[in-house]
């Protein structure tokens, strides 16, 4: 255990060993051991409820029968158990889901009395020229005093209209969500830069943004219903990419708490939804006429060819080949129904499909199987993907501009004319959305006057001459005073990002663990792009049916509302990583490394053992629980802190092995809520002479890792927290 940690732990009976505080201060090892070498894994038999515990007198069982034990409850949602042991009544009247995107954000809601009607947020602040969008840009503007000013279109337009010198003092943020994905050691002190280079805590920015949506939603709910809605009336859902690490998910929850969305006392009021899961939930409810017509020929078995066991299809250059599996083709697929009956009638029990969520910053993929007639979903392949959303196309455009006009000038323009740079990217966004493989006319990008003027002042020549010197036949300066890109030039900007997406889809479909996939659902804001749609269909439509919803950019948002109405809809998930803690075990010669051996009280121990809770790609049911028992090293110990580790492999033996990372701490607070008090002599007045045993229960089958703990001596819950932000 790290020397910075406050308390030590040891194993519970039958191994009776105590690690004393007289150990050297620099002692680098964990000072506790798991209760036994057997992992106790309890599949859940209940749907999304609080954890309950057996009394000490009950024998340990593999399956947890909730009705046979005394109900001592702990609120184990949101990374920690609550010291408020009375569960908040299920009093919400409406579910509000916030889709916090990299480029655009919005919310949707549904009243619990009318769950079939999902309503989108009311737009109040306009749109981009040439762009129809039901969301608002993920942009935020702070005053020079770091106070919140505005969000969305209003923030961007106000910033644009500021005087040049005044604009340099204001703080404008856009596309800041990706910082949570790219920051390795994310914590509550992480900083992100504004357009003028000034840095602000990321937690402040995300809190302001969520506060904006909270107030906007409550105001709209009150207006629509004619009654005043307050925060307690709402169950909130926030969407995050499935590939995000636990620290990023906890960061969003922390920002939500600070924004007044839910609280640590009642964390169940806020749910974290995984974006591709939410899309999958929504897709099940669609009817066939709600999908974009397939541009490819009618699907049939005869469209598939095999050459030496691999699929030979119309894949684009450099795209990943996909291994052909006859199980992927259902017998009746060529007679695919196009009537208006519910799509879930077609997706029968056992149907397998992949959801590809292409957003602004990330691309998430998950593979689901329809588990039963009730429509619950089982995850077959751990969520995968990467940072290749539509922002990648923007970055290619920025590279092109740097090549034509020099990198130094573009960076200087971005810093000294931030509003002008925003105008430049807005102009490109409009053309990017209309780019299509079926259009043969060139696209005109209107360069803002501020850029044309800035270039002339700095270089002493015109932008037209710079484009001419670039000497690219696909990029010209038009007679209307615009930069003119041929369809081929626009496709080149899409190419690197699209190839990464296709390659990742191919990797999933080539996995030996994934067979029998019949459908590919393409969703997310970037999935609106005709170029991306065409490339995905061209690469994969010969082995499965590529399906695109009509409201492709809203699939996640509407699915998140359905998830909030029924969080049990996905009842089996796959662990993205191997999780566990560091423990001491008895040293075994010829098995354990000799340098790991330590001796205490004439007993040989092996330090840094990776005690695994769940393994990477392990299938975990909703509510499935891993149980560990620990005994504090000292009788009067008030708090125990245990290091939490992860790995992308299921093979590591020690926490010091390659690829193992410390990601957080498991904290057991045994001196809370009066369960152990101090008398006038500063000694413990209750249970002071009794050996305490703490039973921890960790739930890995939800969208977040959750923990609760029971003091077996007192029969009371103790506060337990997994902290991924402060390692």
């Amino acid at each position: 255990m790290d020397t910075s940690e406050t308390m030590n732990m040891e194993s519970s009976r039958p191994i009776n060993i105590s690690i004393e505080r007289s150990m050297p201060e620099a002692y680098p090892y964990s000072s506790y051991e798991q209760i036994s070498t057997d992992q106790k894994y309890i599949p859940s038999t209940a749907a999304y409820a609080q954890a309950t515990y057996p009394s000490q007198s009950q024998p340990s069982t593999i399956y947890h029968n909730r009705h046979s034990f005394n109900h001592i409850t702990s609120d184990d949602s949101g990374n920690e158990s609550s010291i408020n042991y009375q569960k908040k009544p299920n009093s919400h009247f409406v579910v509000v889901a916030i889709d916090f995107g990299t480029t655009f954000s919005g919310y949707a809601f549904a009243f619990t009395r009318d769950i079939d009607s999902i309503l989108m947020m009311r737009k109040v602040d306009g749109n981009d020229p040439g762009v129809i969008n039901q969301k608002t840009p993920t942009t935020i503007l702070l005053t020079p005093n770091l106070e919140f000013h505005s969000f969305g279109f209003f923030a961007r337009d106000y910033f644009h209209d500021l005087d040049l010198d005044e604009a340099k003092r204001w703080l404008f943020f856009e596309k800041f969500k990706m910082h949570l994905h790219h920051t390795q050691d994310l914590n509550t002190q992480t900083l992100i830069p504004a357009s003028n280079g000034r840095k602000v805590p990321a937690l402040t920015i995300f809190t302001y943004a969520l506060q904006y949506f909270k107030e906007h939603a409550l105001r709209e709910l009150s207006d629509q219903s004619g009654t005043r809605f307050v925060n307690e009336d709402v169950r909130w859902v926030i969407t995050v990419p499935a590939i995000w690490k636990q620290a990023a998910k906890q960061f969003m929850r922390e920002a939500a708490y600070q924004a007044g969305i839910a609280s640590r006392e009642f964390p169940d009021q806020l749910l974290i939804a995984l974006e591709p899961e939410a899309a999958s939930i929504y897709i099940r409810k669609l009817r066939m006429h709600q999908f974009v017509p397939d541009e490819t020929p009618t699907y049939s078995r005869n469209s598939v060819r095999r050459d030496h066991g691999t699929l030979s299809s119309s894949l684009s250059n450099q795209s990943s080949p996909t291994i052909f599996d006859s199980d992927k083709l259902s017998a009746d697929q060529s007679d695919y129904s196009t009537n208006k009956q519910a799509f879930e009638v077609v997706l029968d029990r056992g149907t397998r499909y992949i959801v590809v969520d292409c957003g602004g910053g990330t691309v998430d993929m998950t593979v689901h199987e329809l588990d039963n007639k009730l429509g619950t979903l089982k995850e077959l392949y751990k969520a995968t993907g990467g940072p290749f959303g539509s922002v990648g196309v923007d970055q290619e455009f920025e590279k092109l501009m740097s090549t034509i006009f020099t990198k130094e000038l573009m960076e200087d323009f971005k810093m000294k004319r931030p509003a002008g740079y925003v105008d430049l990217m807005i102009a490109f966004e409009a053309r990017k959305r209309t780019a299509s493989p079926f259009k043969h006319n060139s696209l005109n990008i209107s360069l803002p006057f501020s850029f044309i003027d800035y270039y002339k002042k700095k270089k002493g020549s015109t932008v037209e001459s710079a484009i001419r010197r670039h000497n690219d036949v696909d990029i010209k300066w038009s007679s209307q005073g615009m930069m003119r890109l041929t369809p081929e030039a626009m496709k080149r900007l899409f190419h690197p990002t699209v190839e990464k997406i296709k390659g990742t889809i191919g990797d999933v479909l080539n996995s030996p663990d994934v067979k029998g996939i019949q459908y590919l659902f393409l969703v997310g804001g970037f999935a609106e792009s005709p170029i991306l749609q065409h490339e995905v269909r061209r690469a994969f439509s010969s082995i499965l049916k590529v399906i695109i919803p009509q409201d492709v950019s809203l699939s996640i948002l509407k699915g998140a509302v359905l998830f909030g109405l029924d969080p049990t809809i996905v009842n089996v998930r796959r662990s993205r990583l191997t999780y566990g803690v560091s423990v001491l075990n008895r040293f075994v010669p010829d098995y354990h490394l000799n340098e790991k051996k330590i001796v205490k009280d004439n007993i040989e121990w092996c330090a840094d053992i990776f005690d695994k809770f769940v393994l990477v790609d392990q299938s975990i049911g909703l509510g499935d629980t891993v149980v560990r028992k620990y005994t504090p090293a000292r009788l009067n110990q008030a708090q125990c802190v245990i290091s939490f580790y992860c790995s992308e492999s299921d093979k590591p033996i020690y926490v010091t092995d390659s690829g193992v990372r410390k990601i957080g701490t498991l904290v057991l607070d045994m001196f809370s809520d009066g369960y152990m008090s101090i008398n006038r002599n500063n000694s413990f007045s209750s249970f002071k002479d009794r050996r305490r045993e703490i039973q921890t229960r960790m739930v890995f089958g939800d969208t977040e890792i959750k923990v609760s703990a029971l003091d077996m001596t007192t029969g009371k819950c103790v506060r337990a927290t997994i902290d991924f932000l402060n390692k």
Side-chain angles (χ1 to χ4, degrees):
M1 184 175 297
D2 296 348
T3 56
S4 62
E5 294 172 346
T6 56
M7 293 291 173
N8 300 319
M9 300 191 74
E10 63 159 1
S11 69
S12 177
R13 295 177 300 273
I15 302 172
N16 189 13
I17 178 72
S18 177
I19 308 298
E20 303 294 337
R21 289 294 289 175
S22 59
M23 294 167 60
E25 287 298 319
Y27 180 67
Y29 305 113
S30 302
S31 54
Y32 62 91
E33 183 197 9
Q34 65 190 81
I35 185 170
S36 67
T37 57
D38 297 327
Q39 172 157 306
K40 188 175 180 183
Y41 189 76
I42 304 179
S44 173
T45 59
Y48 209 79
Q50 294 175 297
T52 58
Y53 299 97
S55 63
Q56 267 190 298
S57 60
Q58 291 286 343
S60 296
T61 56
I62 296 299
Y63 289 93
H64 182 185
N65 184 338
R66 292 184 178 275
H67 304 291
S68 62
F69 304 129
N70 294 328
H71 285 243
I72 305 171
T73 62
S74 167
D75 198 338
D76 67 348
S77 175
N79 303 97
E80 66 181 86
S81 65
S82 174
I83 58 175
N84 184 345
Y85 299 108
Q86 297 299 318
K87 183 174 176 67
K88 186 178 183 179
N90 187 11
S91 59
H92 62 271
F93 305 110
V94 64
V95 171
V96 177
I98 301 172
D99 182 10
F100 198 111
T102 301
T103 52
F104 286 87
S105 298
Y107 66 83
F109 58 92
F111 293 96
T112 54
R113 67 176 183 270
D114 186 15
I115 62 176
D116 293 326
S117 179
I118 299 176
L119 306 174
M120 282 297 302
M121 68 179 287
R122 181 176 56 202
K123 291 299 294 295
V124 294
D125 54 359
N127 252 321
D128 282 328
V131 177
I132 299 175
N133 203 315
Q134 289 186 266
K135 298 180 183 178
T136 191
T138 310
T139 56
I140 192 169
L141 182 65
L142 305 187
T143 68
N145 296 326
L146 303 183
E147 297 173 349
F148 175 80
H149 180 270
S150 51
F151 187 91
F153 285 107
F154 186 71
R156 199 186 64 192
D157 294 344
Y158 189 92
F159 179 66
H160 175 272
D161 294 338
L162 286 172
D163 178 75
L164 181 61
D165 292 332
E166 185 73 6
K168 293 177 182 178
R169 299 176 56 241
W170 287 64
L171 288 81
F172 181 76
F173 298 85
E174 62 177 348
K175 300 174 184 174
F176 50 86
K177 178 183 173 184
M178 287 301 291
H179 283 275
L180 301 195
H181 179 78
H182 291 304
T183 304
Q184 278 294 100
D185 297 316
L186 181 67
N187 57 64
T188 54
Q189 306 304 315
T190 297
L191 301 176
I192 55 177
S195 59
N196 62 3
R198 188 174 173 185
K199 293 185 177 181
V200 176
L203 190 60
T204 300
I205 302 303
F206 281 84
T207 297
Y208 279 147
L210 291 175
Q211 202 165 29
Y212 166 83
F213 281 115
K214 171 197 165 188
E215 294 172 357
H216 196 292
L218 290 177
R219 186 165 57 248
E220 182 172 354
L221 288 170
S222 299
D223 291 346
Q224 286 210 11
S225 63
T227 58
R228 182 172 176 269
F229 267 77
V230 295
N231 184 58
E232 288 70 23
D233 299 327
V234 181
R235 165 172 272 177
W236 299 91
V237 182
I238 297 177
T239 64
V240 301
I243 60 172
W244 267 14
K245 297 180 177 65
Q246 292 295 329
K249 295 177 186 177
Q250 184 182 335
F251 185 96
M252 288 299 289
R253 181 172 282 276
E254 182 64 31
Y257 288 163
Q258 294 201 16
I261 296 176
S263 65
R264 290 180 180 81
E265 288 71 27
F266 301 113
D268 273 342
Q269 191 184 359
L270 169 65
L271 301 179
I272 299 295
L274 306 182
E275 290 169 0
E277 274 190 9
S280 180
I281 292 168
Y282 175 64
I283 284 166
R284 293 162 46 259
K285 297 294 185 183
L286 293 182
R287 300 175 184 274
M288 281 308 299
H289 71 284
Q290 294 174 291
F291 293 98
V292 176
D294 195 345
E295 68 187 38
T296 57
T298 303
Y299 183 87
S300 69
R301 270 185 203 278
N302 297 329
S303 65
V304 179
R305 307 191 306 274
R306 288 185 72 179
D307 294 329
H308 306 293
T310 58
L311 177 69
S312 176
S313 67
S314 56
L315 293 171
S316 301
N317 293 337
Q318 302 179 21
S319 62
S320 298
T322 306
I323 302 300
F324 170 68
D325 188 330
S326 60
D327 291 339
K328 288 176 180 162
L329 304 176
S330 61
D332 59 352
Q333 194 143 13
S334 59
D335 300 323
Y336 191 78
S337 173
T338 58
N339 61 25
K340 296 183 179 181
Q341 56 185 289
F343 194 66
E344 56 201 324
V345 175
V346 180
L347 291 183
D348 202 357
R349 179 177 181 179
T351 300
R352 297 181 169 194
Y353 56 88
I354 180 173
V355 177
V356 182
D357 166 29
C358 302
T362 59
V363 170
D364 272 345
M365 301 175 198
T366 188
V367 180
H368 280 162
E369 177 181 313
L370 202 62
D371 199 25
N372 55 41
K373 291 183 179 180
L374 296 177
T376 57
L377 300 171
K378 179 167 66 175
E379 188 177 45
L380 300 178
Y381 190 85
K382 66 177 182 177
T384 188
F388 10 93
S390 64
V391 170
V393 183
D394 298 343
Q395 292 169 347
E396 290 299 313
F397 175 69
E398 290 174 312
K399 289 179 184 177
L400 174 63
M401 295 293 288
S402 295
T403 302
I404 297 174
F405 303 108
T406 74
K407 183 178 180 180
E408 293 75 18
L409 182 130
M410 292 306 300
E411 290 179 348
D412 204 34
F413 176 70
K414 184 176 182 179
M415 184 63 63
K416 294 183 178 179
R417 301 286 190 277
Y421 197 85
V422 170
D423 285 345
L424 174 64
M425 297 311 296
I426 291 173
F428 175 70
E429 178 72 20
R431 299 280 73 83
K432 179 180 74 174
R433 286 173 174 260
T434 59
S436 169
F438 308 109
K439 292 181 179 179
H440 304 293
N441 57 304
S442 296
L443 297 170
N444 290 328
I445 299 176
S446 178
L447 302 183
F449 174 77
S450 59
F451 175 76
I452 296 173
D453 181 63
Y454 189 81
Y455 182 83
K456 188 172 184 179
K457 288 180 178 178
K458 288 290 183 180
K459 296 293 185 178
S461 60
T462 64
V463 294
E464 180 181 0
S465 62
I467 293 174
R468 192 180 300 113
R469 285 194 302 271
H470 182 60
N471 196 27
D472 187 331
V473 295
D474 294 317
I475 303 174
K476 303 288 185 182
W477 184 255
S478 73
S479 57
Q480 292 87 8
M482 300 182 185
M483 189 165 75
R484 191 173 181 85
L485 273 64
T486 66
E488 185 58 35
M490 184 61 79
K491 288 177 187 176
R492 289 204 302 264
L493 300 180
F494 277 79
H495 182 77
T497 302
V498 170
E499 289 303 311
K500 290 175 184 176
I501 294 172
K502 292 194 299 182
T504 307
I505 296 173
D507 290 342
V508 173
L509 297 181
N510 280 332
S511 171
D513 299 326
V514 177
K515 294 183 181 296
I517 298 180
Q518 296 166 270
Y519 307 102
L520 184 155
F521 293 102
L522 193 64
V523 300
F526 190 24
E528 291 181 328
S529 165
I531 290 179
L532 179 61
Q533 292 180 8
H534 174 73
E535 286 296 314
V536 171
R537 277 177 163 149
R538 190 170 75 151
F540 302 105
S541 62
S542 57
I543 58 167
L544 42 69
K545 188 72 174 177
V546 177
I547 301 175
I548 304 168
Q550 290 280 4
D551 51 355
V552 60
S553 65
L554 304 179
S555 301
I556 294 162
L557 193 47
K558 293 181 177 181
V561 174
L562 296 174
F563 176 73
L565 293 167
D566 181 11
T568 67
I569 196 71
V570 181
N571 61 358
V572 178
R573 292 182 173 89
R574 295 270 178 169
S575 177
R576 290 195 65 242
L577 298 167
T578 296
Y579 293 101
V581 298
S582 175
V583 299
L584 295 176
N585 271 356
R586 293 293 183 98
F587 185 82
V588 179
D590 300 326
Y591 177 74
H592 291 135
L593 296 176
N594 200 54
E595 61 262 30
K596 297 293 183 182
K597 181 171 69 175
I598 61 174
V599 179
K600 180 64 179 176
D601 295 336
N602 297 320
I603 299 176
E604 294 182 343
W605 298 92
C606 182
D608 295 333
I609 294 291
F610 192 171
D611 175 25
K612 305 178 187 73
F613 292 162
V614 295
L615 303 180
V616 62
D617 208 29
Q618 180 177 337
S619 183
I620 310 168
L622 183 67
D624 285 2
T625 303
V626 176
V627 176
R628 286 291 191 278
K629 294 180 181 178
Y630 301 105
T631 296
R634 301 193 335 269
L635 289 177
N636 295 341
Q637 192 164 319
Q639 188 182 69
C640 302
V641 183
I642 308 170
S643 297
F644 212 74
Y645 294 85
C646 77
S647 171
E648 294 183 359
S649 168
D650 61 355
K651 306 296 184 186
I653 299 174
Y654 307 101
V655 296
T656 54
D657 288 351
S658 176
V660 178
R661 295 182 295 111
K662 181 181 176 183
I663 57 170
T665 52
L666 169 62
V667 181
L668 303 178
D669 186 1
M670 298 171 290
F671 183 61
S672 63
D673 208 36
Y675 293 133
M676 188 174 268
S677 57
I678 299 178
N679 60 24
R680 294 178 180 176
N681 297 323
N682 290 328
S683 62
F684 289 89
S685 61
S686 60
F687 310 109
K688 65 178 182 178
D689 297 322
R690 300 178 62 180
R691 196 77 170 170
R692 304 182 74 198
E693 181 177 280
I694 307 300
Q695 181 189 84
T696 63
R697 305 167 68 87
M698 272 156 281
V699 181
F700 289 86
D702 213 329
T703 58
E704 301 170 274
I705 297 177
K706 301 174 182 179
V707 62
S708 57
L710 178 72
D711 187 334
M712 302 297 286
T713 305
T714 64
K716 301 289 187 179
C717 290
V718 299
R719 186 179 182 87
T721 307
I722 299 180
D723 189 352
F724 296 107
L725 291 175
N726 299 292
K727 308 177 183 62

